[in-house]
Amino acid sequence: MVSSLDGFIAKKDGDVSWMQSTDVYEKGKVLTDQEVVDYLQAIDCYIMGSRTYAEALKLGWPYGDTPVYVWTSKDLSSKRENVTTFSGDLDSYLAHKLKPHFDNIWVVGGAQTAKTFLQKGLVDQIILTIVPILLGDGLLFFDYIGREILLHLADVTSYRDGMVELTYRIQKNRIFFS
């Protein structure tokens, strides 16, 4: 997930244009195209909610041909062969449909989806990239999840554009959240 320093993932109107940083941090890492490709190829499938799915379609679909599962109660149609919609019991779907076939499952975007996964204890890892901006208001990433979750810092990476990536582990399942 990408958020502002004050914890917002979008402005109140849904705008995410602020996610591109123009800051320069001289000591920061510069990602190569190959590093990005390798990173994305390690992901076996994605899970997202319907709002993130709609936003991804508007922004140009960054998920390629990797299988995508959209958890929604809405009747969505997709022209993409790699997109499957499902509803109902999340725990059962993960246990019976996804975990037997995929090792590296990523939940992407969406405060409500993140909240549900965290509340149910279905997350192994949180990767949070912080953009150097304070929005002051908007849609919170961690929207009152209602439980305490102890995190263990696994890695910190600072990037040339001023963004900082924090990787935290929760020792339980085989699902990652980004």
Side-chain angles (χ1 to χ4, degrees), residues 13-55:
D13 64 1
D15 178 49
V16 294
S17 62
W18 55 270
M19 287 187 179
Q20 299 299 319
S21 174
T22 58
D23 192 21
V24 176
Y25 176 58
E26 295 295 333
K27 297 180 194 175
K29 178 179 181 168
V30 177
L31 283 175
T32 67
D33 290 342
Q34 188 58 50
E35 286 173 314
V36 172
V37 167
D38 293 346
Y39 186 84
L40 294 175
Q41 285 180 343
I43 299 169
D44 296 329
C45 76
Y46 296 97
I47 299 176
M48 64 185 66
S50 61
R51 289 186 202 142
T52 300
Y53 172 70
E55 196 63 32

Side-chain angles (χ1 to χ4, degrees), residues 61-122:
W61 197 254
Y63 307 106
D65 294 329
T66 302
V68 172
Y69 295 86
V70 181
W71 182 44
T72 181
S73 58
K74 298 175 184 176
D75 184 22
L76 299 177
S77 60
S78 176
K79 296 178 182 173
R80 304 195 69 84
E81 290 182 23
N82 63 320
V83 174
T84 302
T85 61
F86 72 100
S87 61
D89 183 30
L90 184 58
D91 300 276
S92 178
Y93 195 84
L94 287 170
H96 301 291
K97 300 285 186 179
L98 298 183
K99 284 184 180 182
H101 303 287
F102 302 110
D103 192 39
N104 196 355
I105 301 170
W106 280 63
V107 180
V108 294
Q112 189 59 45
T113 302
K115 179 179 181 175
T116 302
F117 271 79
L118 288 165
Q119 287 173 327
K120 291 179 167 283
L122 299 172

Side-chain angles (χ1 to χ4, degrees), residues 115 118-119 142-149:
K115 179 179 181 175
L118 288 165
Q119 287 173 327
F142 297 109
D143 182 21
Y144 308 103
I145 58 175
R147 63 182 281 219
E148 184 175 292
I149 300 172

Side-chain angles (χ1 to χ4, degrees), residues 91 94 99 103 105 115-126 145 147-152 168-177:
D91 300 276
L94 287 170
K99 284 184 180 182
D103 192 39
I105 301 170
K115 179 179 181 175
T116 302
F117 271 79
L118 288 165
Q119 287 173 327
K120 291 179 167 283
L122 299 172
V123 178
D124 279 339
Q125 183 169 279
I126 297 172
I145 58 175
R147 63 182 281 219
E148 184 175 292
I149 300 172
L150 180 62
L151 304 175
H152 305 280
Y168 291 99
R169 291 221 168 111
I170 303 169
Q171 301 299 323
K172 282 168 73 165
N173 305 312
R174 297 285 305 151
I175 298 177
F176 300 104
F177 188 88

